[in-house]
Amino acid sequence: MQKTLVVLVSSVMLFSCSKEPDGTTGDKAQEFINSYTDKYLELYYVSAKAEWEANTKIYSGDTTREAAAKRANEAFAEFTGSQEVIEQATTLLENKEELEELQVKQLEKILYEAANNPESAGEITQKRIAAEVKQNSDLFGYKYVVGDDTLSTNEIDRILEEETDVIKRLSTWEASKEVGVVLKDGLAELRDLRNQTVQNLGYDNFFDYQVSDYEMEVEEMVKLNEKLISDVWPLYRELHTYMRYELAEKYGEEVPEMLPAHWLPNRWGQDWSSEVQVEGFDLDEALEEKGTDWLLKQSERFYVSLGFEELPPSFWELSDLLPLPEGADYSKNNHASAWHMDLKNDVRSLMSVEPNTRWYETTHHEYGHIYYYIAYTNPNVPPLLRGGANRAYHEAIGSMLGLAAMQKPFIENLGLIEPGTETDEMTILLKEALNYITFIPFSAGVMTHFENDLYSSGISSDQFNEVWWKYKTKYQGIVPPSERGTEYCDAASKTHINNDPAQYYDYALSYALLFQFHNHISKQILKQDPRNTNYYGSKEVGDFLYGVLSPGATRDWRELLQESTGEEMGAKAMLEYFSPMMDYLKELNEGREHTLPETI
Ligand code: X8Z
Ligand code: ZN
């Protein structure tokens, strides 16, 4: 009896509610989401186009493009952070149980966006936008001078990879850090403004805000990163010893306790792989012969071979893929990126591609972002959820294809090395370890701790360099060539510190993830040895990837990982991949003294 009554009452309520002009909570929510989305897409595109201009053409002394980017970002911020938007989304979320899961996710996304620009912090947001735009053009408009020469970052990177004269290396490395002096005060200001904006909606600080995108607490994220470091540490320690001795011999110097930063083939010591050459497997030489156009098209061919569409003609028309032309009177953002301009079909990449291994890997990485954009631009994914399952997934896909595109069977199949060429498997694996293992202490250790300290502990700008080198020494065993004074801000020479703030752990996690996906693909789909695969032409691999990419952010990232690989996120697959390395390195390092502690 009672039961019937309850049903009756609720059906009456349902009926009477549905007669109201505004509809049910679900309908109201949908109406709000739809109108928000329309405006969001419009402003997003305007802002992306203005940012594109401000990043592809930086004229010194002409701030027109900066001003336009600032205006567009302000309009976007004003809308996404408006009090009305915040109130409506908050009210609708109070009745979560009456909403569909995707509606909840979209409303949460709306609030997440708002927290970065709340109306209540209007003036601060405006200042932050202005400071961000300025920092970006100061960084990418910067002229790197060594002696009488102005060098591009491509040229600096080449010198650090190839030069054996330590004096020249030193002047080049030092020149690459001068930009930090220019950016130091701007970084301190940005840190404060970024913190103040998100604190208005209840986040502890900007680092906390960025981490919350994973639905994690800062402590949990730091722990996860620490675990990655401790998992790879025994291998890293061997690689560190190996490099100290090998580089000392190469430069004719004494073996140092810690690695001097200017000895390493990368501005931040994050990738040491170019230090090892594999006989019979010279990718740089083969790529130079093929040229840039081939490289750009070949990376696309790989994705197409898996069943993905060709990149749209607009990609080729509107992207900016090549280094600045000789004598250009402007500069451009020299760090590779991929852009989903309108959250629909306008996808572009900004690169400065040269025909070498570094850019070959990077091109695969950027196309991974582009194919992710294309895959989740489908009717099942509302525009507001067109993002990665989490940010690390976004970084993992293209890096995984970069790894696959450098394995011997793949390269042989492409004709980049003579079929049947004998190569030493251990040397190949060592070269890969100097890339992937070496990266973890930098990304999960130095970058993550520095940025956490930057945003959460209020270090002063005069402490930036001290803190940076404290972590460089602790996690990477890398020291500056000489004492660096408080005027420097070497951290700010890293793009991400300025304009992808508080999210570098994305890359650390992405390396763990990419080996998990790669392990699954190799063993379960291709039935090939993970260290010797050839994905080329496998539609099954393409279908698997499409299954991971196409839901975008509509799925919980942990569930998606469980479903696709049967695992939780972690370094197990990466460690398995490099497992033969430990004995090999121990042999190479016999009689050599370690200087890093056994555990971290
Ligand atoms: O920044 C990138 C990409 C663009 S999302 C080129 N990467 C990190 C870096 O260069 O520091 C890729 C791996 C690490
Ligand atoms: Zn990326």
Side-chain angles (χ1 to χ4, degrees):
M1 205 34 197
Q2 241 188 343
K3 229 177 172 183
T4 322
L5 187 70
V6 172
V7 172
L8 249 177
V9 169
S10 61
S11 71
V12 168
M13 278 172 58
L14 197 74
F15 183 69
S16 73
C17 272
S18 66
K19 275 178 100 182
E20 278 176 24
D22 285 348
T24 62
T25 309
D27 289 343
K28 276 192 212 164
Q30 200 50 50
E31 211 178 293
F32 168 67
I33 291 168
N34 290 347
S35 73
Y36 176 94
T37 302
D38 286 346
K39 189 78 187 155
Y40 180 89
L41 286 177
E42 180 195 321
L43 295 171
Y44 187 94
Y45 200 17
V46 173
S47 156
K49 283 191 284 198
E51 279 289 346
W52 178 264
E53 288 298 313
N55 276 279
T56 48
K57 291 202 175 57
I58 305 170
Y59 288 94
S60 86
D62 172 2
T63 52
T64 326
R65 286 173 181 77
E66 269 182 46
K70 192 167 141 298
R71 271 196 311 276
N73 292 346
E74 274 171 11
F76 180 77
E78 200 183 315
F79 168 68
T80 53
S82 78
Q83 199 54 34
E84 198 190 322
V85 161
I86 296 172
E87 273 165 19
Q88 289 207 51
T90 311
T91 311
L92 286 163
L93 278 171
E94 277 163 11
N95 297 310
K96 245 187 204 174
E97 58 297 334
E98 291 171 41
L99 301 175
E100 309 217 348
E101 201 190 321
L102 279 192
Q103 292 177 321
V104 173
K105 278 190 187 291
Q106 289 176 87
L107 291 169
E108 283 170 351
K109 163 79 181 171
I110 289 171
L111 283 182
Y112 185 75
E113 284 279 348
N116 203 24
N117 317 305
E119 193 178 323
S120 48
E123 212 179 300
I124 295 167
T125 306
Q126 285 202 354
K127 280 196 197 156
R128 194 204 67 217
I129 291 170
E132 269 170 347
V133 171
K134 180 167 183 315
Q135 191 81 342
N136 199 58
S137 42
D138 282 354
L139 169 59
F140 295 117
Y142 186 78
K143 303 250 177 296
Y144 296 87
V145 181
V146 186
D148 296 333
D149 299 323
T150 302
L151 300 182
S152 69
T153 46
N154 268 344
E155 285 163 330
I156 291 179
D157 293 343
R158 195 174 326 119
I159 292 171
L160 293 181
E161 280 187 8
E162 293 171 5
E163 182 58 63
T164 52
D165 177 343
V166 185
I167 308 291
K168 280 193 194 144
R169 298 189 62 85
L170 177 62
S171 57
T172 307
W173 183 88
E174 282 176 344
S176 80
K177 300 296 158 192
E178 282 295 318
V179 65
V181 178
V182 177
L183 299 171
K184 181 181 147 194
D185 290 344
L187 178 62
E189 189 192 352
L190 267 175
R191 177 265 309 272
D192 294 341
L193 294 168
R194 282 170 178 155
N195 276 346
Q196 286 164 18
T197 38
V198 299
Q199 277 161 353
N200 255 273
L201 278 201
Y203 291 93
D204 288 348
N205 56 61
F206 193 74
F207 196 84
D208 176 36
Y209 171 69
Q210 290 288 9
V211 168
S212 75
D213 203 22
Y214 283 79
E215 290 174 29
M216 284 166 85
E217 299 290 332
V218 170
E219 205 188 307
E220 210 184 338
M221 180 57 89
V222 171
K223 263 203 188 135
L224 181 59
N225 278 274
E226 290 291 310
K227 174 85 172 77
L228 291 183
I229 303 171
S230 58
D231 283 349
V232 304
W233 190 255
L235 260 181
Y236 183 74
R237 184 168 174 257
E238 295 293 334
L239 292 171
H240 182 262
T241 302
Y242 171 80
M243 287 293 274
R244 281 169 43 238
Y245 282 82
E246 295 293 318
L247 292 178
E249 197 186 319
K250 178 168 150 188
Y251 302 136
E253 303 266 345
E254 297 233 325
V255 180
E257 288 233 333
M258 294 288 147
L259 282 163
H262 65 299
W263 282 23
L264 294 163
N266 173 282
R267 278 176 275 163
W268 307 277
Q270 68 186 65
D271 174 1
W272 306 341
S273 58
S274 65
E275 218 38 60
V276 165
Q277 267 79 46
V278 184
E279 236 188 276
F281 194 166
D282 189 342
L283 204 50
D284 274 321
E285 194 185 62
L287 289 168
E288 198 178 339
E289 223 166 84
K290 292 284 188 188
T292 305
D293 288 350
W294 181 90
L295 186 157
L296 286 166
K297 290 302 281 179
Q298 173 51 40
S299 310
E300 179 195 26
R301 270 196 293 278
F302 183 15
Y303 285 85
V304 171
S305 86
L306 303 177
F308 290 94
E309 302 268 319
E310 280 184 5
L311 292 168
S314 62
F315 173 84
W316 298 107
E317 282 153 26
L318 299 172
S319 288
D320 186 332
L321 302 169
L322 305 178
L324 285 178
E326 194 75 38
D329 58 349
Y330 61 94
S331 55
K332 69 182 233 190
N333 182 332
N334 50 44
H335 191 80
S337 52
W339 301 51
H340 200 184
M341 303 288 297
D342 58 351
L343 296 177
K344 293 179 192 160
N345 305 314
D346 185 349
V347 290
R348 306 182 194 175
S349 177
L350 171 47
M351 293 193 273
S352 300
V353 178
E354 292 184 336
N356 58 36
T357 310
R358 194 159 34 81
W359 279 109
Y360 178 73
E361 191 181 9
T362 302
T363 304
H364 284 87
H365 177 94
E366 297 310 329
Y367 289 5
H369 288 304
I370 300 282
Y371 278 106
Y372 212 153
Y373 301 151
I374 293 174
Y376 55 58
T377 301
N378 70 60
N380 297 328
V381 182
L384 298 181
L385 300 179
R386 291 186 183 160
N390 65 28
R391 296 191 308 254
Y393 272 66
H394 231 303
E395 298 304 336
I397 303 304
S399 288
M400 177 176 75
L401 265 74
L403 167 79
M406 293 211 270
Q407 289 192 333
K408 192 180 161 195
F410 185 98
I411 292 292
E412 228 171 358
N413 181 52
L414 275 190
L416 290 182
I417 57 171
E418 286 290 316
T421 310
E422 296 269 326
T423 49
D424 184 60
E425 303 244 326
M426 281 304 184
T427 316
I428 292 179
L429 200 58
L430 172 62
K431 192 174 174 66
E432 289 175 333
L434 289 168
N435 181 352
Y436 298 98
I437 298 291
T438 295
F439 184 68
I440 298 296
F442 174 69
S443 51
V446 178
M447 289 292 281
T448 299
H449 281 278
F450 177 81
E451 292 204 287
N452 190 18
D453 282 10
L454 179 66
Y455 290 100
S456 72
S457 77
I459 46 172
S460 76
S461 59
D462 281 348
Q463 290 170 305
F464 287 172
N465 229 32
E466 184 192 324
V467 172
W468 175 252
W469 285 105
K470 176 182 85 182
Y471 290 132
K472 294 283 289 180
T473 311
K474 173 172 177 189
Y475 289 106
Q476 290 186 286
I478 296 178
V479 290
S482 59
E483 192 72 35
R484 310 267 303 156
T486 52
E487 70 275 29
Y488 293 109
C489 179
D490 296 331
S493 70
K494 186 77 195 152
T495 309
H496 305 71
I497 297 276
N498 302 288
N499 52 8
D500 272 323
Q503 44 191 291
Y504 206 81
Y505 45 81
D506 292 354
Y507 298 106
L509 305 183
S510 83
Y511 275 31
L513 270 179
L514 86 85
F515 278 98
Q516 293 184 269
F517 286 130
H518 175 71
N519 202 36
H520 176 85
I521 288 173
S522 320
K523 291 190 187 151
Q524 308 301 328
I525 303 179
L526 296 171
K527 320 272 183 225
Q528 294 173 7
D529 167 9
R531 295 180 209 108
N532 269 303
T533 64
N534 181 11
Y535 292 21
Y536 207 91
S538 168
K539 301 286 184 276
E540 249 184 290
V541 171
D543 288 347
F544 169 78
L545 283 178
Y546 189 77
V548 173
L549 306 186
S550 59
T554 61
R555 297 288 318 275
D556 175 90
W557 66 264
R558 290 183 176 84
E559 275 173 30
L560 188 61
L561 186 61
Q562 272 293 346
E563 258 169 46
S564 49
T565 65
E567 288 175 11
E568 279 181 16
M569 185 157 59
K572 192 169 144 257
M574 189 196 272
L575 291 180
E576 193 183 305
Y577 188 97
F578 289 110
S579 55
M581 263 297 92
M582 201 58 196
D583 287 345
Y584 180 69
L585 279 165
K586 282 211 161 120
E587 250 172 59
L588 292 178
N589 285 337
E590 218 186 304
R592 292 173 172 175
E593 203 187 310
H594 295 299
T595 47
L596 289 181
E598 257 174 67
T599 53
I600 183 143

